[in-house]
Amino acid sequence: VLLSERDGTILIATMNRPDRMNALGGGLPEALNEAWLDFRDDPEVQVMIITGAGDRAFCAGMDLRQNDERARELGAQSAQALLDASASRAIRVAFNSNNFGLWKPVIAAINGWCLAAGCEMAMGCDLRIMEDQARMGLPEVKRGMGAKQTTHKLHYLTKLSLGLEMVWTGDPLTAQRAYDLGLVNEVVPTGTSVERAKEVARKICEFPSDYLTYHKLRVFQSIGVPMDYAMSQQQRFPPEENGAYRQGLQRSLKQGVPGWPR
């Protein structure tokens, strides 16, 4: 249900349930959790790209059809009790809330419908590259449900009123509107999101992984805190004390910085 491919120091993970629009069921959530941890702990991999198999969907969210089938099998009350018990268990690995400390770059290559938990997963990534025919949204309200987890990040990526519009109406956004609102970094032609994501990932991989994780962690620690505290992070955690910083400085002194005038 999850295909993994290595391209140098890049890991491409493909959700492989195209017959169910890559919905999160059938063992896919568990496979994704293992993949996040493997990526976090593998020093040979710097960037991860997540995408969906087929040409219809990135990920359509939780597999509601599977949930409905189970509810009919067990009975609505028993199924709800099982769901409540699962939700009340001890803290589990969750990519959207990043409760396991993944500070490496993750890129979403959005190649089709990107809905509900799939949309939240994309928002949980650091960069999003979206194909022009794709759509993204949070339709939970239409089923009497609430969007969870990464919806708080939605309001950092776009304006508060537009974030509320998404969760209140449940209507999907076109790729161009998602780009205009700041939800995605780039819109590319159909069928090219993974290759474009690889190009971006290769550029990122030119730099030391320690540098990448340092800045992602510092950025997240600075969100939502007073400006003076955020600015003090550099003094509390000086980047120049990192070995990768010194190596990069030495390299730039010898070779110059690509793209900068000399």
Side-chain angles (χ1 to χ4, degrees):
V1 294
L2 185 69
L3 305 178
S4 294
E5 173 192 355
R6 283 282 297 272
D7 182 349
T9 56
I10 303 167
L11 173 67
I12 302 97
T14 303
M15 294 174 282
N16 189 33
R17 301 186 74 218
D19 57 319
R20 303 292 278 261
M21 296 182 70
N22 301 315
L24 297 172
L28 180 55
E30 293 79 8
L32 280 167
N33 284 345
E34 291 183 14
W36 303 129
L37 293 170
D38 290 343
F39 170 56
R40 182 196 67 179
D41 297 336
D42 189 344
E44 301 300 320
V45 186
Q46 287 183 268
V47 180
M48 181 174 179
I49 297 170
I50 180 76
T51 192
D55 57 5
R56 294 182 62 207
F58 169 78
C59 175
M62 297 302 298
D63 193 336
L64 298 181
R65 193 192 313 172
Q66 176 180 293
N67 292 347
D68 289 346
E69 290 171 355
R70 191 166 196 185
R72 282 191 290 270
E73 177 185 346
L74 298 176
Q77 289 186 341
S78 297
Q80 185 62 49
L82 189 63
L83 181 63
D84 292 343
S86 174
S88 64
R89 287 188 302 177
I91 294 176
R92 295 165 292 174
V93 170
F95 170 68
N96 289 347
S97 59
N98 194 6
N99 63 0
F100 57 100
L102 173 58
W103 303 115
K104 293 182 179 181
V106 183
I107 303 174
I110 304 172
N111 58 313
W113 286 99
C114 178
L115 300 172
C119 182
E120 292 179 306
M121 185 192 310
M123 288 191 295
C125 296
D126 305 301
L127 304 176
R128 285 154 296 281
I129 297 173
M130 189 172 181
E131 296 182 10
D132 52 14
Q133 89 291 355
R135 299 288 185 272
M136 69 186 304
L138 297 165
E140 284 89 340
V141 67
K142 296 183 178 182
R143 194 177 167 90
M145 303 167 66
K148 303 173 287 298
Q149 292 188 322
T150 309
T151 48
H152 65 276
K153 191 177 180 184
L154 173 64
H155 306 132
Y156 286 103
L157 296 174
T158 185
K159 296 178 182 178
L160 176 61
S161 60
L162 295 171
L164 290 172
E165 175 190 327
M166 284 184 67
V167 297
W168 281 346
T169 68
D171 294 334
L173 304 177
T174 64
Q176 186 59 50
R177 186 154 191 242
Y179 174 78
D180 292 341
L181 298 180
L183 289 176
V184 298
N185 298 83
E186 189 174 349
V187 176
V188 297
T190 300
T192 65
S193 60
V194 173
E195 286 305 313
R196 177 55 183 155
K198 287 182 181 179
E199 291 177 5
V200 174
R202 291 188 189 107
K203 179 67 175 178
I204 294 173
C205 288
E206 294 177 6
F207 307 107
S209 57
D210 288 352
Y211 173 90
L212 303 176
T213 56
Y214 171 90
H215 281 278
K216 180 175 177 179
L217 177 58
R218 295 288 89 81
V219 166
F220 275 70
Q221 287 179 332
S222 298
I223 292 176
V225 302
M227 180 63 74
D228 59 341
Y229 179 84
M231 295 179 69
S232 73
Q233 294 293 305
Q234 182 170 344
Q235 291 184 329
R236 296 181 62 208
F237 307 100
E240 60 271 16
E241 291 184 359
N242 187 291
Y245 179 96
R246 296 175 182 176
Q247 293 173 13
L249 178 60
Q250 293 173 357
R251 186 167 56 250
S252 67
L253 291 174
K254 291 180 181 179
Q255 303 173 2
V257 178
W260 282 20
R262 299 187 64 179

